[in-house]
């Protein structure tokens, strides 16, 4: 084979390779804007739904018509402020809040390692991420700003970017039960003891370790009974299963971004890009990610009486409607209950 023929073959192969690269490049360039547009539209739909529900006379719940000034500081502790980047994040337990708190600590530069601010969110210990003293929250405004606290609150709410992440309310309940009562958890064991005494009619062991070793723990049905018990409300509902509207006040605060746990990684990337901090921090993908999903609803609620399920839906109906989650008819209708018997 002559040299000239070899050169022609190499030139043809090179041209083909170049064309292939151009096709791949233009395809990527075309897909990225379409994807961003799709995510933007989805986000606008969520925000529009939230606004419509807040303005709707058909949705009524206690405290809906309060102004932000009427909300006590004690009910504003979930709003974390980053003054460096002008961000306000309302954290919701069992909705990736550990990782979002880590992100907020990286952005604020408050958390230090050997005198240097953390750069990697996952390098921040979970206990440190949840330490209240590490975050500047709305309930601390009075202490910092004194008589001008409400004015500063109003200013930041108007000028800062505000976001929260939400989750299917029933799936969030399952996740809370799995994390706090199926696993060894001394901090939540007093609540487990209370459930065992009141609903299982058992005398619980003195420690969670002893109870765990003996296989003694409240059932999911006991947990739902506890959530529905009026005594629980009187003794203050734990924020791991408190309704999101009570934690984040979505009808008083106009959130700029509403992320969903079901699409957390995609939404997180979009949010950080929107905040223009995607070159500063990435949302961490945990190795122990919570994989509780809506596909588990029928199995988990099969031990919960139909009447209790319906009562539970009424308790969380506001969250379902505000954040666009479908009513879980598969576990709330009579025919499904008959199939499970």
């Amino acid at each position: 084979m002559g040299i000239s023929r070899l050169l022609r073959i190499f030139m043809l192969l090179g041209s083909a390779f170049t064309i292939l690269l151009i096709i791949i490049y233009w395809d990527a360039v075309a897909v990225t804007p379409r994807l961003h547009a799709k995510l933007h539209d989805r986000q606008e739909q969520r925000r529009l739904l939230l606004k419509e529900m807040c303005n709707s006379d058909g949705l009524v719940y206690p405290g809906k018509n309060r102004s932000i000034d009427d909300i006590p500081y004690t009910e504003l502790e979930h709003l974390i402020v980053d003054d460096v980047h002008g961000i306000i994040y309302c954290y919701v337990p069992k909705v990736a809040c550990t990782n979002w708190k880590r992100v907020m600590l990286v952005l604020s530069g408050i958390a230090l390692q050997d005198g240097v601010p953390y750069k990697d969110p996952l390098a921040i210990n979970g206990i440190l991420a949840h330490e209240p003293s590490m975050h500047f929250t709305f309930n601390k405004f009075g202490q910092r700003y004194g008589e001008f606290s409400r004015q500063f609150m109003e200013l930041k709410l108007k000028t800062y970017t505000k976001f929260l992440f939400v989750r299917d309310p029933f799936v969030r309940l399952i996740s809370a039960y799995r994390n706090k009562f199926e696993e060894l958890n001394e901090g939540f064991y007093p609540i487990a003891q209370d459930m065992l005494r009141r609903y299982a009619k058992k005398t619980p062991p003195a420690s969670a370790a002893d109870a765990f070793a003996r296989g003694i723990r409240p059932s999911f049905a006991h947990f739902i009974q506890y959530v529905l018990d009026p005594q629980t409300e009187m003794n203050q509902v734990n924020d791991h299963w408190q309704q999101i509207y009570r934690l984040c006040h979505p009808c008083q605060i106009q959130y700029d971004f509403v992320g969903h746990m079901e699409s957390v990684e995609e939404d997180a990337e979009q949010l950080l890009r929107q905040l223009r901090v995607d070159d500063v921090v990435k949302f961490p993908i945990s190795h122990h990610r919570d994989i509780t999903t809506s596909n588990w609803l029928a199995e988990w609620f099969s031990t919960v009486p139909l009447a209790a399920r319906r009562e539970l839906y009424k308790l969380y109906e506001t969250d379902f409607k505000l954040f666009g989650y479908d009513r879980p008819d598969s576990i709330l209708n009579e025919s499904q209950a008959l199939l499970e018997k």
Side-chain angles (χ1 to χ4, degrees), residues 294-308:
S294 59
N295 295 330
W296 298 12
L297 283 181
E299 179 182 350
W300 278 93
F301 279 91
S302 63
T303 60
V304 179
L306 179 62

Side-chain angles (χ1 to χ4, degrees), residues 28 66 102 109 128 183 188 225 249 253 271 279 295 301 310-311:
R66 289 188 298 179
R102 287 169 166 153
L128 181 64
E183 298 177 7
F188 276 75
Q225 196 172 355
H249 316 289
I253 298 172
L271 173 62
D279 59 338
N295 295 330
F301 279 91
R310 290 176 172 173
E311 188 179 352

Side-chain angles (χ1 to χ4, degrees), residues 164-307:
L164 79 163
F165 272 72
V166 300
R167 188 177 197 173
D168 179 294
F170 280 10
V171 176
R172 181 170 167 245
L173 284 173
I174 296 172
S175 178
Y177 171 79
R178 293 179 65 206
N179 179 236
K180 304 305 179 185
F181 304 110
E182 268 204 336
E183 298 177 7
L184 179 59
N185 193 314
E186 290 288 354
F188 276 75
Y189 187 58
I191 297 177
Q193 287 178 307
D194 196 19
M195 290 187 213
L196 290 168
R197 291 191 191 99
R198 286 157 63 179
Y199 314 124
K201 306 302 180 185
K202 292 181 179 179
T203 301
S207 71
D210 188 14
F212 195 83
R214 295 163 58 182
I216 299 174
R217 60 178 67 93
S219 67
F220 182 67
H222 292 148
F223 172 60
I224 297 303
Q225 196 172 355
Y226 176 80
V227 170
L228 293 173
D229 196 322
Q231 290 186 44
T232 302
E233 182 70 36
M234 290 174 58
N235 296 328
Q236 190 172 16
V237 181
N238 187 279
D239 63 0
H240 284 80
W241 48 87
Q242 191 173 59
Q243 298 96 323
I244 297 174
Y245 78 85
R246 295 174 65 181
L247 298 175
C248 294
H249 316 289
C251 289
Q252 286 77 24
I253 298 172
Q254 295 182 10
Y255 285 95
D256 302 289
F257 193 96
V258 181
H260 282 212
M261 182 68 173
E262 295 77 9
S263 53
V264 62
E265 293 174 14
E266 194 174 60
D267 288 351
E269 183 179 352
Q270 180 189 5
L271 173 62
L272 294 177
R273 185 172 57 250
Q274 181 176 317
L275 293 171
R276 298 184 179 179
V277 296
D278 52 323
D279 59 338
V280 178
V281 65
K282 303 297 181 186
F283 182 75
I285 301 175
S286 297
H287 298 297
H288 304 289
R289 183 180 171 188
D290 185 345
I291 58 172
T292 306
T293 70
S294 59
N295 295 330
W296 298 12
L297 283 181
E299 179 182 350
W300 278 93
F301 279 91
S302 63
T303 60
V304 179
L306 179 62

Side-chain angles (χ1 to χ4, degrees), residues 133-160:
S133 63
M134 297 302 298
H135 301 281
F136 178 45
T137 47
F138 267 40
N139 61 320
K140 299 176 182 177
F141 271 43
Q143 181 180 358
R144 174 175 291 192
Y145 301 120
E147 62 179 309
F148 301 105
S149 59
R150 291 289 178 173
Q151 289 93 323
F152 274 103
M153 187 181 298
E154 183 178 352
L155 176 64
K156 293 176 192 292
L157 285 172
K158 283 183 177 179
T159 58
Y160 285 16

Side-chain angles (χ1 to χ4, degrees), residues 13-29:
L13 289 174
S15 298
F17 183 68
T18 301
I19 292 171
L20 179 62
L21 286 177
I22 292 173
I23 292 172
I24 293 173
Y25 171 77
W26 282 111
D27 185 58
V29 168

